Amino acid sequence: MIPRSKQYEDAIREGMCVVFLSGISTRTLALMSRRLIGRPLSHSEVSKAAKQLEDAVEAWRERDLSEEKIEYMIIDGVNFSMRVAGSIKKVPVLVVIGVREDGTRTVLGLQAGDKESAFSWREFFKDLKRQGLDPSGVKLGITDGLPGLEKVFEEEFPKARIQHCQVHVSRNVLAKVPRKLKKTIKEKSTGVL
């Protein structure tokens, strides 16, 4: 099934590289590849596949968004463990998920940046608009309640309203409840916690 000139499927190599980029050690990668394909992947194979993945991700990040009919935006920052300069670090990533008119969701963008920084959010929103996202179609932005983020969102999407994420609101309330009542409050909540 695999041509003679190939020793394994490209998908296996790419999958192994994704695992490597997500933080697995080179030693563990070598053990895994030896079990899956009978030999360890070379550094050049990992580099080549990582470059292909990087190019594909960058093309996706720069894609045209003008055909997306987005009504709602779910906006948050998360920390991912990533391989940076040979070591694993927690990298803050800004995330925007769009909800289309038909209710389906799509990840509009991912961008490294400080979730506490109004400047980072502004640049991210501007990038999405440069890619063709129509700000006038957005009706609602759902955020975790960071004041700087709300202000920037209102400026960049003036026709949209803001709502705090119910999960974040519930967690904030639960943090203020006395310890002995937390379990009861969790059980009586609407399933958000």
Side-chain angles (χ1 to χ4, degrees), residues 104-177:
T104 58
R105 295 179 183 197
T106 183
V107 177
L108 293 175
L110 301 167
Q111 183 169 302
D114 180 5
K115 70 179 188 174
E116 307 288 333
S117 165
F119 176 80
S120 293
W121 284 111
R122 185 177 309 283
E123 291 305 306
F124 189 21
F125 293 149
K126 286 183 183 291
D127 285 346
L128 293 175
K129 291 193 293 187
R130 274 191 288 272
Q131 289 171 243
L133 180 66
D134 179 12
S136 66
V138 178
K139 296 178 181 176
L140 181 68
I142 302 160
T143 74
D144 61 1
L146 292 171
L149 170 55
E150 287 185 21
K151 183 176 185 295
V152 169
F153 181 82
E154 289 170 345
E155 291 170 0
E156 296 297 324
F157 299 92
K159 293 185 177 181
R161 298 181 66 181
I162 290 261
Q163 174 181 313
H164 290 185
C165 167
Q166 294 303 303
V167 171
H168 285 93
V169 169
S170 297
R171 287 180 186 159
N172 291 342
V173 168
L174 196 58
K176 293 180 179 14
V177 170

Side-chain angles (χ1 to χ4, degrees), residues 30-43:
L31 291 171
M32 288 176 62
S33 63
R34 183 169 284 136
R35 295 242 349 172
L36 289 172
I37 62 174
R39 66 175 181 77
L41 291 176
S42 70
H43 288 290

